[in-house]
Amino acid sequence: MPISNTYSPSAPAGKTSTGSAIGNREDLSDVLTLLAPEETPILSLAAKGKATSTLHEWVVDTLAAPSTDGVSEGADVTSFTDKFAGRARLSNYTQIFRRDYLVSNLQQAVTSVGPANVAQAEAKCMRELKRDAEAAICSNNDRSVEDGAGTPYKLRGLGDWLDSAGPSDVPAAFRTPAGSIETSSLTESDLQDILGSIYSKTGEVGNLTLVANIALRKVIANFTRTDGNSGETVYQVNQDATSKKITLSVSLFDSDFGLVRVVNGNPACMPTANTHVGYVIDPKYIGFSTLIPMGSTRLENQGGGERGYVDMAGTLVCRTPQAHGKIAY
């Protein structure tokens, strides 16, 4: 016998489908799921400042090496030292970040999940810009200057700042020591060596932050584990498991040279040139200076719909490359 179905039978060419399913209402949830990593840990750590030019500059200095020489009684002062001869000027170019949007007149007028209107388009652009800035900060990019022929201003990322052999515009006395950079593997001893190298330059037992990608985070977590080799030296820890929970993650590394907070880097923003990537950052010596604050600009509706863009201009301030470390292998 005929039965009413929840689907529409196929209609002949040029004909409209018929059947009970034609009157069925849509079941569309009001919940919009947006799945994308949005955290920007390095940008969040950086002290915020103001830039006033496309080339943002700052000055670094250092103290003379300690001396154990004595002074003879009655000796006159016959030579003098320029205490500011060792100063250097570091700099980075401000980079323009921009995201555009277009929403048709009809789309703006209808009711939709999300919703999908101009305000939401602007908000989404702002979220994307933050990730763009984080990716530039984490990158291995060298800085570049606008040349009027297609090369834009670009900021230098941490991957290039933290280099014992460069960058060329950074005097050798202010470059990241080789001991603060790991390029082959990472063990607990290696991490201690990096922290010790940083301490040798700053002399501060501060609170550092290690921003690590997924692969490196797993390596650090394995500092607490053993694979059964007879030559391994590991800590044995008794843990109350009445809650049926065993903790095998490392989120705070308490070293001889200070506490290191281990956080996940944004997987969409960390560089991919190496499998294991991480930056050991002293928040006191990193900043982000803004030349153009983030803002939205609406453009003329020429009939198709509302359009515009969100932009900002800023740069990474690596106050001294010696205060940070890098892991890339």
Side-chain angles (χ1 to χ4, degrees):
M1 58 181 291
I3 186 172
S4 295
N5 299 308
T6 59
Y7 59 88
S8 296
S10 299
K15 300 294 183 179
T16 303
S17 297
T18 59
S20 61
I22 296 301
N24 291 350
R25 294 184 182 276
E26 291 182 343
D27 181 10
L28 180 60
S29 172
D30 287 332
V31 177
L32 171 67
T33 301
L34 176 62
L35 183 61
E38 287 195 63
E39 295 297 321
T40 55
I42 300 182
L43 180 61
S44 299
L45 277 174
K48 305 306 184 289
K50 176 65 177 175
T52 58
S53 178
T54 53
L55 182 64
H56 188 55
E57 301 179 284
W58 58 97
V59 177
V60 290
D61 201 354
T62 187
L63 298 176
S67 173
T68 59
D69 297 338
V71 178
S72 298
E73 182 182 357
D76 291 330
V77 180
T78 58
S79 60
F80 301 88
T81 304
D82 179 0
K83 304 307 296 182
F84 310 111
R87 286 185 176 180
R89 183 182 296 184
L90 305 183
S91 60
N92 208 354
Y93 286 110
T94 55
Q95 180 171 333
I96 299 173
F97 301 91
R98 179 188 294 167
R99 290 281 179 169
D100 58 82
Y101 60 86
L102 170 64
V103 179
S104 73
N105 293 327
L106 287 179
Q107 182 59 58
Q108 177 70 13
V110 301
T111 301
S112 58
V113 173
N117 55 29
V118 172
Q120 289 298 316
E122 288 177 328
K124 190 172 181 180
C125 285
M126 292 179 182
R127 295 159 72 179
E128 291 171 341
L129 274 191
K130 287 184 62 179
R131 298 205 317 168
D132 292 344
E134 180 78 1
I137 291 171
C138 294
S139 73
N140 296 317
N141 294 344
D142 194 2
R143 67 181 190 178
S144 65
V145 61
E146 180 81 43
D147 65 359
T151 300
Y153 286 114
K154 292 183 71 173
L155 63 81
R156 173 180 290 146
L158 277 174
D160 194 53
W161 272 111
L162 308 184
D163 184 352
S164 60
S168 59
D169 55 289
V170 177
F174 297 101
R175 294 174 183 170
T176 306
S180 300
I181 301 173
E182 179 57 55
T183 59
S184 59
S185 64
L186 186 73
T187 64
E188 187 172 346
S189 178
D190 293 330
L191 182 54
Q192 288 276 16
D193 289 342
I194 292 173
L195 301 177
S197 177
I198 294 173
Y199 175 76
S200 71
K201 294 300 181 181
T202 65
E204 299 173 352
V205 182
N207 291 323
L208 304 175
T209 298
L210 170 54
V211 181
N213 73 348
I214 295 173
L216 183 61
R217 189 69 193 264
K218 290 180 179 179
V219 170
I220 296 171
N222 283 331
F223 288 172
T224 63
R225 308 179 191 184
T226 174
D227 58 14
N229 293 332
S230 59
E232 287 182 330
T233 301
V234 297
Y235 289 110
Q236 292 185 353
V237 179
N238 293 326
Q239 182 176 343
D240 184 359
T242 55
S243 62
K244 298 182 181 180
K245 177 182 177 181
I246 298 177
T247 302
L248 292 176
S249 66
V250 176
S251 57
L252 194 64
F253 188 81
D254 192 356
S255 76
D256 296 330
F257 308 104
L259 291 173
V260 181
R261 188 167 62 99
V262 185
V263 301
N264 294 328
N266 188 318
C269 301
M270 298 293 283
T272 57
N274 299 98
T275 303
H276 301 77
V277 179
Y279 299 113
V280 183
I281 297 171
D282 189 330
K284 289 177 57 179
Y285 300 104
I286 193 170
F288 188 84
S289 293
T290 302
L291 179 62
I292 301 176
M294 184 183 296
S296 178
T297 301
R298 296 279 183 91
L299 300 177
E300 179 187 3
N301 184 339
Q302 297 181 344
E306 296 292 338
R307 56 187 183 144
Y309 62 89
V310 176
D311 69 344
M312 71 172 182
T315 191
L316 170 67
V317 179
C318 186
R319 302 195 187 283
T320 170
Q322 295 178 323
H324 314 291
K326 180 174 70 174
I327 302 162
Y329 65 92

